[in-house]
Coordinates of all heavy atoms in Angstrom, one line a residue:
M1 N -15.6 33.2 53.7 CA -14.9 31.9 53.4 C -15.8 30.7 53.3 O -15.5 29.9 52.4 CB -13.8 31.7 54.5 CG -12.6 32.6 54.4 SD -11.7 32.5 52.8 CE -11.3 30.8 52.8
P2 N -16.9 30.6 54.0 CA -17.7 29.4 53.9 C -18.2 29.3 52.5 O -18.3 28.1 52.0 CB -18.8 29.6 54.9 CG -18.3 30.5 55.9 CD -17.3 31.4 55.2
E3 N -18.5 30.4 51.8 CA -19.1 30.2 50.4 C -18.0 29.7 49.4 O -18.3 29.1 48.4 CB -19.6 31.6 49.9 CG -18.7 32.8 49.9 CD -18.6 33.5 51.3 OE1 -19.3 33.1 52.2 OE2 -17.8 34.4 51.3
L4 N -16.7 29.9 49.7 CA -15.7 29.4 48.9 C -15.4 27.9 49.2 O -15.1 27.1 48.3 CB -14.4 30.2 49.1 CG -14.4 31.6 48.6 CD1 -13.1 32.3 49.0 CD2 -14.6 31.7 47.1
S5 N -15.5 27.5 50.4 CA -15.1 26.2 50.8 C -16.3 25.2 50.8 O -16.1 24.0 50.8 CB -14.5 26.1 52.2 OG -15.5 26.4 53.2
G6 N -17.5 25.7 50.8 CA -18.7 24.9 50.8 C -18.9 24.3 52.2 O -19.8 23.5 52.4
E7 N -18.2 24.7 53.2 CA -18.3 24.3 54.6 C -18.9 25.4 55.4 O -18.7 26.6 55.1 CB -17.0 23.9 55.2 CG -16.3 22.8 54.4 CD -16.9 21.4 54.6 OE1 -17.5 21.2 55.7 OE2 -16.9 20.6 53.7
D8 N -19.6 25.1 56.5 CA -20.1 26.1 57.4 C -19.0 26.8 58.2 O -19.1 28.0 58.5 CB -21.2 25.5 58.3 CG -22.5 25.1 57.6 OD1 -22.7 25.7 56.5 OD2 -23.2 24.2 58.1
R9 N -18.0 26.0 58.5 CA -16.9 26.5 59.3 C -15.6 26.3 58.6 O -15.4 25.3 57.9 CB -16.8 25.8 60.6 CG -17.9 26.1 61.6 CD -17.6 25.5 63.0 NE -16.2 25.6 63.3 CZ -15.6 24.8 64.2 NH1 -16.3 23.9 64.8 NH2 -14.3 25.0 64.4
V10 N -14.8 27.3 58.7 CA -13.4 27.2 58.1 C -12.4 27.0 59.2 O -12.4 27.8 60.2 CB -13.1 28.5 57.3 CG1 -11.7 28.5 56.8 CG2 -14.1 28.7 56.2
D11 N -11.5 26.1 59.0 CA -10.4 25.9 60.0 C -9.4 26.9 59.8 O -8.6 26.8 58.9 CB -9.9 24.5 59.9 CG -8.8 24.2 60.9 OD1 -8.2 25.1 61.5 OD2 -8.6 23.0 61.1
V12 N -9.5 28.0 60.5 CA -8.6 29.2 60.3 C -7.1 28.8 60.5 O -6.3 29.3 59.8 CB -9.0 30.3 61.3 CG1 -8.0 31.5 61.1 CG2 -10.4 30.7 61.0
G13 N -6.8 27.9 61.4 CA -5.4 27.4 61.6 C -4.9 26.8 60.3 O -3.8 27.1 59.9
N14 N -5.7 25.9 59.7 CA -5.2 25.3 58.4 C -5.1 26.4 57.3 O -4.2 26.3 56.5 CB -6.2 24.2 58.0 CG -6.0 22.9 58.7 OD1 -4.9 22.7 59.3 ND2 -7.0 22.1 58.8
L15 N -6.0 27.3 57.3 CA -6.0 28.4 56.3 C -4.7 29.1 56.4 O -4.0 29.4 55.4 CB -7.2 29.3 56.5 CG -7.2 30.6 55.6 CD1 -7.2 30.2 54.1 CD2 -8.3 31.5 56.0
Y16 N -4.3 29.6 57.6 CA -3.1 30.3 57.8 C -1.8 29.5 57.5 O -0.8 30.0 57.0 CB -3.0 31.0 59.2 CG -3.9 32.3 59.1 CD1 -5.2 32.3 59.8 CD2 -3.6 33.4 58.4 CE1 -6.0 33.4 59.7 CE2 -4.4 34.5 58.3 CZ -5.6 34.5 59.0 OH -6.4 35.6 58.9
R17 N -1.9 28.2 57.9 CA -0.7 27.3 57.5 C -0.6 27.3 56.0 O 0.6 27.3 55.5 CB -0.9 26.0 58.2 CG -0.5 25.9 59.6 CD -0.5 24.5 60.2 NE -1.8 23.9 60.3 CZ -2.6 24.2 61.3 NH1 -2.3 25.0 62.3 NH2 -3.8 23.6 61.4
A18 N -1.7 27.1 55.3 CA -1.6 27.1 53.8 C -1.1 28.4 53.3 O -0.2 28.4 52.4 CB -3.0 26.8 53.3
L19 N -1.5 29.5 53.8 CA -1.0 30.8 53.3 C 0.4 31.0 53.6 O 1.2 31.5 52.8 CB -1.8 32.0 54.0 CG -3.3 32.1 53.5 CD1 -4.0 33.1 54.4 CD2 -3.3 32.6 52.0
R20 N 0.9 30.5 54.8 CA 2.3 30.6 55.1 C 3.1 29.8 54.1 O 4.2 30.1 53.7 CB 2.6 30.2 56.5 CG 2.2 31.2 57.6 CD 2.9 32.5 57.3 NE 3.7 32.8 58.4 CZ 4.4 34.0 58.3 NH1 4.3 34.8 57.3 NH2 5.2 34.3 59.3
S21 N 2.6 28.6 53.8 CA 3.3 27.7 52.9 C 3.4 28.4 51.5 O 4.4 28.3 50.8 CB 2.6 26.4 52.8 OG 3.1 25.5 51.9
L22 N 2.3 29.0 51.1 CA 2.3 29.7 49.8 C 3.3 30.8 49.8 O 3.9 31.1 48.8 CB 0.9 30.2 49.5 CG -0.2 29.1 49.2 CD1 -1.6 29.8 49.1 CD2 0.1 28.4 47.9
E23 N 3.4 31.5 50.9 CA 4.4 32.6 51.1 C 5.8 32.0 51.0 O 6.6 32.6 50.3 CB 4.1 33.3 52.4 CG 4.9 34.6 52.5 CD 4.5 35.5 53.6 OE1 3.8 35.0 54.6 OE2 4.8 36.7 53.6
D24 N 6.0 30.9 51.7 CA 7.4 30.3 51.6 C 7.7 29.9 50.2 O 8.9 29.9 49.8 CB 7.4 29.1 52.5 CG 7.4 29.4 54.0 OD1 7.6 30.6 54.3 OD2 7.1 28.5 54.8
E25 N 6.7 29.5 49.4 CA 7.0 29.1 48.0 C 7.1 30.3 47.0 O 7.3 30.2 45.9 CB 5.9 28.2 47.5 CG 5.9 26.8 48.3 CD 4.7 26.0 47.8 OE1 4.3 26.0 46.7 OE2 4.3 25.2 48.7
G26 N 6.8 31.5 47.6 CA 6.9 32.7 46.7 C 5.7 33.0 45.9 O 5.7 33.8 45.0
L27 N 4.6 32.4 46.3 CA 3.3 32.5 45.5 C 2.5 33.7 46.0 O 1.6 34.2 45.3 CB 2.5 31.2 45.5 CG 3.3 30.1 44.9 CD1 2.5 28.8 45.1 CD2 3.6 30.3 43.4
V28 N 2.6 34.0 47.3 CA 2.0 35.2 47.9 C 2.9 36.0 48.8 O 4.0 35.4 49.2 CB 0.7 34.8 48.8 CG1 -0.3 34.1 48.0 CG2 1.1 34.0 50.0
T29 N 2.6 37.2 49.0 CA 3.4 38.0 50.0 C 2.3 38.5 51.0 O 1.1 38.5 50.8 CB 4.0 39.3 49.3 OG1 3.0 40.1 48.7 CG2 5.1 38.9 48.3
S30 N 2.8 38.8 52.2 CA 1.9 39.3 53.2 C 2.5 40.5 53.9 O 3.7 40.8 53.8 CB 1.7 38.2 54.3 OG 2.8 38.0 55.0
E31 N 1.6 41.3 54.4 CA 2.0 42.5 55.2 C 1.0 42.8 56.3 O -0.2 42.4 56.1 CB 2.3 43.7 54.3 CG 1.1 44.2 53.6 CD 1.4 45.4 52.7 OE1 2.1 45.2 51.8 OE2 0.8 46.5 53.0
W32 N 1.4 43.4 57.3 CA 0.5 43.8 58.4 C -0.2 45.1 58.0 O 0.4 46.0 57.5 CB 1.2 43.9 59.7 CG 1.7 42.6 60.3 CD1 2.9 42.1 60.2 CD2 0.9 41.7 60.9 NE1 3.0 40.9 60.8 CE2 1.7 40.6 61.3 CE3 -0.5 41.6 61.3 CZ2 1.3 39.5 61.9 CZ3 -0.9 40.4 62.0 CH2 0.0 39.4 62.3
S33 N -1.5 45.1 58.2 CA -2.3 46.3 57.8 C -3.1 46.8 59.0 O -3.9 46.0 59.5 CB -3.2 46.0 56.6 OG -4.0 47.1 56.3
A34 N -2.9 48.0 59.4 CA -3.7 48.6 60.5 C -4.8 49.5 59.9 O -5.5 50.1 60.7 CB -2.7 49.5 61.4
D35 N -4.9 49.5 58.6 CA -5.9 50.4 58.0 C -7.3 49.9 58.2 O -8.3 50.7 58.1 CB -5.6 50.5 56.4 CG -4.3 51.1 56.1 OD1 -3.7 51.7 57.0 OD2 -3.8 50.9 55.0
L36 N -7.5 48.6 58.4 CA -8.8 48.0 58.5 C -9.3 48.2 59.9 O -8.5 48.3 60.9 CB -8.7 46.5 58.1 CG -8.2 46.2 56.7 CD1 -8.0 44.7 56.5 CD2 -9.2 46.8 55.7
P37 N -10.6 48.2 60.1 CA -11.1 48.3 61.5 C -10.7 47.1 62.4 O -10.5 46.0 61.8 CB -12.6 48.4 61.3 CG -12.9 48.3 59.9 CD -11.6 48.2 59.1
G38 N -10.6 47.4 63.6 CA -10.2 46.3 64.6 C -8.7 46.1 64.7 O -8.0 47.0 64.3
P39 N -8.3 45.0 65.2 CA -6.9 44.8 65.4 C -6.1 44.7 64.1 O -6.7 44.5 63.0 CB -6.8 43.5 66.2 CG -8.1 42.8 66.0 CD -9.1 43.9 65.6
T40 N -4.8 44.9 64.1 CA -4.0 44.9 63.0 C -4.1 43.5 62.3 O -4.1 42.5 63.0 CB -2.5 45.1 63.3 OG1 -2.4 46.4 64.0 CG2 -1.6 45.1 62.1
K41 N -4.3 43.5 61.0 CA -4.5 42.2 60.3 C -3.4 42.0 59.2 O -2.9 42.9 58.7 CB -5.8 42.2 59.6 CG -7.0 42.3 60.6 CD -8.3 42.4 59.8 CE -9.5 42.5 60.8 NZ -9.5 43.6 61.7
R42 N -3.1 40.7 59.0 CA -2.2 40.4 57.9 C -2.9 40.3 56.6 O -4.0 39.5 56.6 CB -1.4 39.1 58.3 CG -0.3 38.8 57.3 CD 0.4 37.5 57.7 NE 1.3 37.7 58.8 CZ 2.6 37.9 58.7 NH1 3.1 38.0 57.6 NH2 3.3 38.1 59.8
T43 N -2.5 40.9 55.6 CA -3.2 40.8 54.3 C -2.2 40.1 53.3 O -1.0 40.3 53.4 CB -3.6 42.2 53.7 OG1 -2.4 43.0 53.6 CG2 -4.6 42.9 54.6
Y44 N -2.8 39.3 52.4 CA -2.0 38.5 51.5 C -2.3 39.0 50.0 O -3.4 39.3 49.7 CB -2.4 37.0 51.6 CG -1.9 36.5 52.9 CD1 -2.7 36.6 54.1 CD2 -0.7 35.8 53.1 CE1 -2.3 36.1 55.3 CE2 -0.3 35.3 54.3 CZ -1.1 35.5 55.4 OH -0.7 35.0 56.6
T45 N -1.2 39.0 49.2 CA -1.3 39.4 47.8 C -0.6 38.3 47.0 O 0.5 37.9 47.3 CB -0.7 40.7 47.6 OG1 -1.3 41.7 48.5 CG2 -0.8 41.2 46.2
L46 N -1.2 38.0 45.8 CA -0.5 37.1 44.9 C 0.7 37.7 44.3 O 0.6 38.9 43.9 CB -1.5 36.7 43.8 CG -2.5 35.6 44.1 CD1 -3.5 35.4 42.9 CD2 -1.9 34.3 44.4
T47 N 1.7 37.0 44.2 CA 2.9 37.5 43.4 C 2.7 37.2 41.9 O 1.7 36.6 41.6 CB 4.2 36.7 43.9 OG1 4.0 35.4 43.6 CG2 4.4 36.9 45.4
D48 N 3.6 37.7 41.1 CA 3.6 37.4 39.7 C 3.6 35.8 39.5 O 2.8 35.3 38.7 CB 4.7 38.0 38.9 CG 4.6 39.5 38.8 OD1 3.5 40.0 39.0 OD2 5.6 40.2 38.5
Q49 N 4.4 35.2 40.2 CA 4.5 33.7 40.1 C 3.2 33.1 40.6 O 2.7 32.1 40.0 CB 5.7 33.2 41.0 CG 5.9 31.7 40.9 CD 7.0 31.2 41.7 OE1 7.7 32.0 42.4 NE2 7.3 29.9 41.7
G50 N 2.6 33.6 41.6 CA 1.3 33.2 42.1 C 0.2 33.3 41.0 O -0.6 32.4 40.8
H51 N 0.2 34.5 40.3 CA -0.8 34.7 39.3 C -0.6 33.7 38.1 O -1.5 33.2 37.6 CB -0.6 36.1 38.7 CG -1.3 37.2 39.5 ND1 -2.7 37.3 39.5 CD2 -0.9 38.1 40.4 CE1 -3.0 38.3 40.3 NE2 -1.9 38.8 40.9
E52 N 0.7 33.4 37.8 CA 1.0 32.4 36.7 C 0.5 31.1 37.1 O -0.2 30.4 36.3 CB 2.5 32.4 36.5 CG 3.0 33.6 35.8 CD 4.6 33.6 35.6 OE1 5.1 32.5 35.7 OE2 5.2 34.6 35.4
L53 N 0.7 30.7 38.4 CA 0.3 29.3 38.8 C -1.3 29.3 38.8 O -1.9 28.3 38.4 CB 0.8 29.0 40.2 CG 0.5 27.6 40.7 CD1 1.0 26.5 39.8 CD2 1.1 27.4 42.1
L54 N -1.9 30.3 39.3 CA -3.4 30.4 39.3 C -3.9 30.3 37.9 O -4.9 29.5 37.7 CB -3.8 31.7 40.0 CG -5.4 31.9 40.0 CD1 -6.1 30.8 40.7 CD2 -5.7 33.3 40.6
G55 N -3.3 31.0 37.0 CA -3.7 30.9 35.6 C -3.6 29.4 35.0 O -4.5 28.9 34.3
A56 N -2.5 28.8 35.4 CA -2.3 27.4 34.9 C -3.3 26.5 35.5 O -3.9 25.6 34.9 CB -0.9 26.9 35.3
W57 N -3.6 26.7 36.8 CA -4.7 25.9 37.5 C -6.0 26.1 36.8 O -6.8 25.1 36.6 CB -4.8 26.2 39.0 CG -3.9 25.3 39.8 CD1 -2.7 25.7 40.3 CD2 -4.2 24.0 40.2 NE1 -2.2 24.6 41.1 CE2 -3.1 23.6 41.0 CE3 -5.3 23.1 40.0 CZ2 -3.1 22.3 41.6 CZ3 -5.2 21.9 40.6 CH2 -4.1 21.5 41.4
L58 N -6.3 27.3 36.5 CA -7.6 27.7 35.9 C -7.7 27.0 34.5 O -8.8 26.4 34.1 CB -7.8 29.2 35.7 CG -8.1 29.9 37.1 CD1 -8.1 31.4 36.8 CD2 -9.3 29.4 37.7
R59 N -6.6 27.0 33.7 CA -6.6 26.4 32.4 C -6.8 24.9 32.6 O -7.6 24.2 31.8 CB -5.4 26.7 31.6 CG -5.3 28.2 31.1 CD -4.2 28.4 30.2 NE -2.9 28.3 30.9 CZ -2.3 29.2 31.7 NH1 -2.9 30.4 31.9 NH2 -1.1 29.0 32.2
A60 N -6.1 24.3 33.5 CA -6.3 22.8 33.8 C -7.7 22.5 34.2 O -8.3 21.5 33.7 CB -5.3 22.4 34.8
L61 N -8.3 23.3 35.0 CA -9.7 23.0 35.4 C -10.7 23.2 34.3 O -11.6 22.4 34.2 CB -10.1 23.9 36.6 CG -9.4 23.6 37.9 CD1 -9.7 24.7 39.0 CD2 -9.8 22.2 38.4
E62 N -10.4 24.2 33.4 CA -11.3 24.4 32.2 C -11.2 23.2 31.3 O -12.2 22.7 30.8 CB -10.8 25.6 31.5 CG -11.2 26.9 32.2 CD -10.6 28.2 31.6 OE1 -9.7 28.0 30.7 OE2 -11.0 29.3 32.0
Q63 N -10.0 22.6 31.1 CA -9.8 21.4 30.3 C -10.5 20.3 30.9 O -11.2 19.5 30.2 CB -8.3 21.1 30.1 CG -7.6 22.1 29.2 CD -6.1 21.9 29.1 OE1 -5.6 21.1 29.8 NE2 -5.5 22.6 28.1
L64 N -10.4 20.1 32.2 CA -11.1 19.0 32.9 C -12.6 19.2 32.8 O -13.3 18.2 32.5 CB -10.7 18.9 34.4 CG -11.4 17.9 35.2 CD1 -11.1 16.5 34.7 CD2 -11.0 18.0 36.7
R65 N -13.1 20.4 33.0 CA -14.5 20.6 32.8 C -15.0 20.3 31.4 O -16.0 19.6 31.2 CB -14.8 22.1 33.1 CG -16.3 22.4 32.9 CD -16.6 23.9 32.7 NE -15.8 24.4 31.6 CZ -15.4 25.6 31.4 NH1 -15.5 26.5 32.4 NH2 -14.7 26.0 30.3
D66 N -14.2 20.7 30.4 CA -14.6 20.4 29.0 C -14.6 18.9 28.7 O -15.5 18.4 28.1 CB -13.7 21.1 28.0 CG -13.8 22.7 28.1 OD1 -14.8 23.1 28.7 OD2 -12.9 23.3 27.6
S67 N -13.6 18.2 29.3 CA -13.6 16.8 29.1 C -14.7 16.1 29.7 O -15.3 15.2 29.2 CB -12.2 16.2 29.6 OG -11.2 16.7 28.9
L68 N -15.1 16.5 31.0 CA -16.2 15.9 31.7 C -17.5 16.2 31.0 O -18.4 15.3 30.9 CB -16.2 16.4 33.1 CG -15.1 15.8 34.0 CD1 -15.1 16.6 35.4 CD2 -15.3 14.3 34.2
T69 N -17.7 17.4 30.5 CA -18.9 17.8 29.7 C -19.0 16.9 28.5 O -20.1 16.4 28.2 CB -18.9 19.3 29.4 OG1 -18.8 20.0 30.6 CG2 -20.1 19.7 28.6
T70 N -17.9 16.7 27.8 CA -18.0 15.9 26.6 C -18.3 14.5 26.9 O -19.2 13.8 26.3 CB -16.6 15.9 25.8 OG1 -16.3 17.3 25.4 CG2 -16.6 15.0 24.6
F71 N -17.7 13.9 28.0 CA -18.0 12.6 28.4 C -19.5 12.4 28.8 O -20.2 11.5 28.4 CB -17.1 12.2 29.6 CG -17.5 10.9 30.2 CD1 -17.1 9.7 29.7 CD2 -18.2 10.9 31.4 CE1 -17.5 8.5 30.3 CE2 -18.6 9.7 32.0 CZ -18.2 8.5 31.4
L72 N -20.0 13.4 29.6 CA -21.4 13.3 30.1 C -22.4 13.4 28.9 O -23.4 12.7 28.8 CB -21.6 14.3 31.1 CG -20.9 14.1 32.5 CD1 -21.1 15.3 33.4 CD2 -21.4 12.9 33.1
D73 N -22.1 14.3 28.0 CA -22.9 14.5 26.8 C -23.0 13.2 26.0 O -24.1 12.8 25.6 CB -22.4 15.6 25.9 CG -22.7 17.0 26.5 OD1 -23.4 17.1 27.5 OD2 -22.1 18.0 26.0
R74 N -21.9 12.6 25.8 CA -21.8 11.3 25.0 C -22.5 10.2 25.7 O -23.3 9.4 25.1 CB -20.4 10.9 24.7 CG -19.7 11.8 23.7 CD -18.3 11.3 23.4 NE -17.7 12.1 22.4 CZ -16.5 12.0 22.0 NH1 -15.7 11.1 22.5 NH2 -16.0 12.8 21.0
A75 N -22.3 10.2 27.0 CA -23.0 9.1 27.8 C -24.5 9.3 27.8 O -25.2 8.3 27.8 CB -22.5 9.1 29.3
E76 N -25.0 10.5 27.9 CA -26.4 10.7 27.9 C -27.0 10.4 26.5 O -28.2 9.9 26.5 CB -26.7 12.2 28.2 CG -26.5 12.6 29.6 CD -26.7 14.0 29.9 OE1 -27.0 14.8 29.0 OE2 -26.6 14.4 31.1
K77 N -26.3 10.6 25.4 CA -26.8 10.3 24.1 C -26.8 8.8 23.8 O -27.6 8.3 23.0 CB -26.0 11.0 23.0 CG -26.2 12.5 23.0 CD -25.3 13.2 22.0 CE -25.4 14.7 22.1 NZ -24.5 15.3 21.2
G78 N -25.9 8.1 24.5 CA -25.8 6.6 24.2 C -25.1 6.4 22.9 O -24.4 7.3 22.3
G79 N -25.4 5.3 22.3 CA -24.8 5.0 21.0 C -23.7 4.0 21.0 O -23.4 3.4 22.1
D80 N -23.1 3.7 19.9 CA -22.1 2.7 19.7 C -20.8 3.0 20.5 O -20.1 2.2 20.9 CB -21.7 2.5 18.3 CG -22.9 1.9 17.5 OD1 -23.8 1.3 18.1 OD2 -22.9 2.0 16.3
H81 N -20.5 4.3 20.7 CA -19.3 4.7 21.4 C -19.4 4.5 22.9 O -18.4 4.6 23.6 CB -18.9 6.1 21.1 CG -20.0 7.1 21.5 ND1 -21.1 7.4 20.7 CD2 -20.1 7.9 22.6 CE1 -21.8 8.3 21.4 NE2 -21.3 8.6 22.5
V82 N -20.6 4.2 23.4 CA -20.7 4.0 24.8 C -20.8 2.5 25.0 O -21.7 1.8 24.5 CB -22.0 4.6 25.4 CG1 -22.2 4.3 26.9 CG2 -22.0 6.1 25.2
R83 N -19.8 1.9 25.7 CA -19.8 0.5 26.0 C -20.7 0.1 27.1 O -20.8 0.8 28.1 CB -18.4 0.1 26.3 CG -17.4 0.2 25.2 CD -16.0 -0.3 25.7 NE -15.1 0.0 24.7 CZ -13.8 0.0 24.8 NH1 -13.3 -0.2 26.0 NH2 -12.9 0.3 23.9
T84 N -21.4 -1.0 26.9 CA -22.2 -1.5 28.0 C -21.5 -2.7 28.6 O -20.9 -3.5 27.9 CB -23.6 -1.9 27.5 OG1 -23.5 -2.9 26.5 CG2 -24.4 -0.7 27.0
T85 N -21.6 -2.8 29.9 CA -20.9 -3.9 30.6 C -22.0 -4.9 31.1 O -23.2 -4.5 31.1 CB -20.1 -3.5 31.8 OG1 -21.0 -2.9 32.7 CG2 -19.0 -2.5 31.4
K86 N -21.6 -6.0 31.5 CA -22.6 -7.0 32.0 C -23.3 -6.4 33.2 O -24.6 -6.5 33.3 CB -21.9 -8.3 32.4 CG -22.9 -9.3 33.0 CD -22.2 -10.7 33.1 CE -23.1 -11.7 33.7 NZ -24.5 -11.6 33.7
H87 N -22.6 -5.6 34.0 CA -23.2 -5.0 35.2 C -24.3 -4.0 34.7 O -25.4 -3.9 35.2 CB -22.2 -4.3 36.0 CG -22.7 -3.4 37.1 ND1 -23.8 -3.8 37.9 CD2 -22.3 -2.3 37.7 CE1 -24.0 -2.8 38.8 NE2 -23.1 -1.9 38.7
T88 N -24.0 -3.2 33.7 CA -25.0 -2.2 33.2 C -26.2 -2.9 32.6 O -27.3 -2.6 32.8 CB -24.3 -1.3 32.1 OG1 -23.1 -0.7 32.7 CG2 -25.2 -0.3 31.6
Q89 N -25.9 -4.0 31.8 CA -27.0 -4.8 31.2 C -27.9 -5.4 32.3 O -29.1 -5.4 32.1 CB -26.4 -5.8 30.2 CG -25.8 -5.2 29.0 CD -24.9 -6.3 28.3 OE1 -24.7 -7.4 28.8 NE2 -24.5 -5.9 27.1
D90 N -27.3 -5.9 33.3 CA -28.1 -6.6 34.4 C -28.9 -5.5 35.1 O -30.1 -5.8 35.4 CB -27.1 -7.2 35.4 CG -26.5 -8.5 34.9 OD1 -26.9 -9.0 33.8 OD2 -25.5 -8.9 35.5
A91 N -28.3 -4.3 35.4 CA -29.1 -3.3 36.0 C -30.3 -2.8 35.2 O -31.3 -2.6 35.7 CB -28.2 -2.1 36.4
T92 N -30.0 -2.7 33.9 CA -31.1 -2.2 33.0 C -32.1 -3.3 32.9 O -33.3 -3.0 32.9 CB -30.5 -1.9 31.6 OG1 -29.4 -1.0 31.7 CG2 -31.5 -1.2 30.7
A93 N -31.8 -4.5 32.7 CA -32.7 -5.6 32.6 C -33.6 -5.7 33.9 O -34.8 -6.0 33.8 CB -32.0 -6.9 32.4
G94 N -33.0 -5.5 35.0 CA -33.7 -5.6 36.3 C -34.7 -4.5 36.4 O -35.7 -4.6 37.2
S95 N -34.6 -3.3 35.7 CA -35.5 -2.2 35.9 C -36.7 -2.3 34.9 O -37.6 -1.5 35.0 CB -34.7 -0.9 35.7 OG -34.2 -0.8 34.4
Q96 N -36.6 -3.2 33.9 CA -37.7 -3.3 33.0 C -38.7 -4.3 33.5 O -38.3 -5.3 34.1 CB -37.1 -3.7 31.6 CG -36.2 -2.7 31.0 CD -35.6 -3.2 29.7 OE1 -35.9 -4.3 29.2 NE2 -34.7 -2.4 29.1
P97 N -40.0 -4.1 33.2 CA -41.0 -5.0 33.7 C -40.9 -6.4 33.0 O -40.5 -6.6 32.0 CB -42.3 -4.3 33.3 CG -42.0 -3.2 32.4 CD -40.5 -3.0 32.5

């Protein structure tokens, strides 16, 4: 989980509250599984509705990524389509000898 969240520690209580909420909304189902080593564990599975919502989120994130990439590419190239503000001009002027 830390590799997904970018945090060293995961708040397991918040994680399970989120999973329960997703289950209440019909986006995941859960069942107890004794097949895994150790104590019985609850496993979660995306429902069809959960898969649809995940797909919509992925498409939205892809569009955002593409928009940000376009913006950054244009900003790096500069040109007439990039507006300069007084603040930008002052900062640039201050950095020149």
